[in-house]
Amino acid sequence: MKRGRKSKKEKEDIRKKKMLDAADDDGGVSVQRPSRKRKKDDENDELEMSGAEKPYGLRGRKQEMMSKVIKKRAKYCEKGHLTCHQCKRNDKGRVVRCSTCTKKKLCLFCIRAWYPHLKEEDIAKACPVCRGNCNCKACLSSVQLINQMKKNPTRDKGEKVEHSLYLLQVLLPFLRQLDEEQMIEKEIEAKIQGLSVSELNIVKADFSLQERVYCDNCKTSIFDYHRSCTKCSFDLCLICCRELRSGQLVGGADPIVLDFIWKGRGYLHGGKEIETENQNASNAGAKAEVHEWSRSGWHSQSNGSIPCPKVNNECNHGFLELRSILGQHFISELVCKGKELVQAYKIQNVFKPPDSFCSCLGLDRNTDVKNSNMRKAASRDNMADNYLYCPKAVDLQDKDLNHFQWHWEKGEPVIVSNVLECTSGLSWEPLVMWRALRHVASATKRGQHLDVETIDCLDWCEGGINIHQFFTGYTEGRMDWLGWPQILKLKDWPPSNLFEEQLPRHCAEFISSLPFKEYTDPLRGALNLAVMLPDGCLKPDMGPKSYIAYGFPSELGRGDSVTKIHCDMSDAVNVLTHIAEVKLNSEQLTAIEKLKENHFEQDKRELCGNDHDEETNTYMLNNSSSTINALDNQNSVQVMEHEGGLCDQKAVNQFHQSGNNEIATAKEDGLLCESEVKEVDKVDTKLENDLLFGGDASEGALWDIFRRQDVSKLQEYLKKHFREFRHVHCCPLKQVIHPIHDQTFYLTMEHKKKLKEEYGIEPWTFIQKLGDAVFIPAGCPHQVRNLKSCIKVALDFVSPENVGECFRLTEEFRTLPINHKSTEDKLEVKKMTVFAIHDVVEKLEKSRLEIADI
């Protein structure tokens, strides 16, 4: 018989036969033998028996499932008291329960790893969640706190009116200036059309508030009146119109390219140049942009009309007609309303703080400021601004706002110390920020946050690096192929326009730390013009933005962790939120000193080879900050500025032996002493390294901020000595477009000393400590050097006191070459001013109506 599979009926017959045989063997009783069925239990993977004794049917199955759920819940509750809130695990041993909320628990491992500043008893008293500084993944990505900040709180009506009146008083003159410029252009347009100004009808431009309109010639922003081609999309601002009619078109200069030639890796440390091809780097940040027309043949007509400079099939020199974005009479009507409110409230100069208000005026060089709110930052002769206002955040009261305004109006920086003490204490550790970004990154973009762009401060070139490797170097240090400290700066991480989205909890923590929130609050600051743009209007990116970079305590002279001299278009506040000290061993320090000798020899070769002032070359070579070993071989050494305890040990010994304690006194005040030259004999070079990591443990960055009135002299000095500076690929500078806005200079101690000798100016110089908030007024050139690895978070704002400076910088930037990185007007301060006054007028008119009704 052919073998094959048995049918179901045959199988069933065989099974019944076996059951009958079993029944006969057991005395005639039929019993169904249970079948073995493997079911995996959560605890011990036991084998359950399921057979005829278990109920069948839907009801029985439901009861069976319910019993399993009850068992699992019991087991979960039994282990639930061991689950750590931070790591969400229950297998790490003992946990500490919070007595405040009685719910959250943390294991000992997470307490030591993520909250090293807290002890077990601290956690038991109040867990990080109750303290408001939990850094678990869920809490770091929470938007609850930042959303609460965005809600408009109930503010005292009197305070609203007071701030509105102050804004109206300060801003109205600038609105009048804008109105006068528009009136001049309207008169010219009326003349072109052969009409009176009253008969003139200006075309309304078809632009929405979501668009950012730029002048096609100078790239400055257009907020209202402008001229636009009748045949193409060419737009021209009123300033360019005025310059064209005068025959001197300054704005939108032709592009200039600065090439920095790659001369080989060895050249970075004094080696010989190598011939390379196609290894040039253009000026950093420059945009590849050229004019699509000839500026040389572009002129206005005799009646004041301006032809379009473009020549193509579409346009072919159409004429530019006057157009308005806000409306023909918007600005003039706003000026009239502002004047009426000034007369109604009688606010002329009533809010200007008198000179007698500030108690800082009586300070001089011999004043004891150890316990005051002042910090000495300069040693100018017969100057009252050598001291900077430096209150403690915990001591600030409402009345201190007037004190701040007194200094701020004069264009002086302000330092507020210990601002982090006013926050919940959220950790700014790099790995905590990294965890937060990893958690919020979507699955589709998982790889994007692992690699970041950095800038190497030695050759100022960009490169990619794994974020974990970068932060390892942040705390432990990195050395290049020759043992020179590799100083890296993170470039735009996280992107400033995504800071709130990617780090919502840190964003809220930063905002809560800011003092003088009337100016710095990016959500509702009453005196911050940047927040007064209407809803639906395209707003500039004001931050917050993080600046994360390595640092080194002594001045290397090449490859220092610096932010080069620049000038921001707006005001800014910069908070130092984290520092990390990297210590080097003796072998590394020896390698550094050897490379400094190579740098010195290279500077000697190249500077002397350049065709410029020989006296300048000699001075800089003999006083270069990178020539420590060369100076040690002499019988005497010149000791320059004492940088936060990092000055030459040889001079310190001689200094203290002479009984002069000026360095110690200035150190307590946070001041870097004035540059001095001391002759010291019989020095021991081995003691120099003892102070490489000395000074206050909270010190993080060295700041130099120049006064506005000294900018012209600073520019003259940089133009005179620009060949003594290096930039991309360590190449000496060959050309300067603008000494401040190019951001290619950093003044070492020696350059600052010579600047004072030649031009009689010096900056405010101070050390930013952990928790210090530095306020930088618009228009003040400044530079920064990290003494340690630092995380700083900065925010831009626009104060009414500095609107005039913002106007000036806007017009200065428009004169740069069109490919310059600073030429684009991203702030749009004129638009801010108009809408700020519009908002103020609405509030004051509403207040007048409410008073009248009463």
Side-chain angles (χ1 to χ4, degrees), residues 47-115:
L47 296 178
E48 284 191 8
M49 302 296 294
S50 61
E53 73 275 13
K54 292 197 174 184
Y56 285 91
L58 294 176
R59 180 174 297 178
R61 185 64 178 168
K62 184 176 181 180
Q63 292 176 354
E64 181 181 357
M65 294 297 295
M66 289 298 296
S67 64
K68 289 183 178 181
V69 171
I70 293 174
K71 288 181 181 179
K72 287 184 177 181
R73 286 180 178 176
K75 291 177 182 178
Y76 177 80
C77 294
E78 182 180 352
K79 290 188 175 182
H81 69 282
L82 298 176
T83 302
C84 172
H85 173 77
Q86 184 83 12
C87 62
K88 310 300 180 186
R89 297 181 61 174
N90 54 22
D91 58 350
K92 290 188 176 181
R94 187 165 64 88
V95 296
V96 178
R97 181 188 295 270
C98 173
S99 60
T100 301
C101 64
T102 69
K103 295 181 180 180
K104 304 294 186 296
K105 298 162 284 290
L106 268 76
C107 65
L108 300 182
F109 177 83
C110 287
I111 294 175
R112 290 191 295 266
W114 299 105
Y115 307 97

Side-chain angles (χ1 to χ4, degrees), residues 254-270:
D254 291 329
I256 297 178
V257 178
L258 303 180
D259 288 331
F260 298 94
I261 301 175
W262 167 251
K263 300 180 180 180
R265 190 174 68 166
Y267 178 80
L268 302 178
H269 288 303

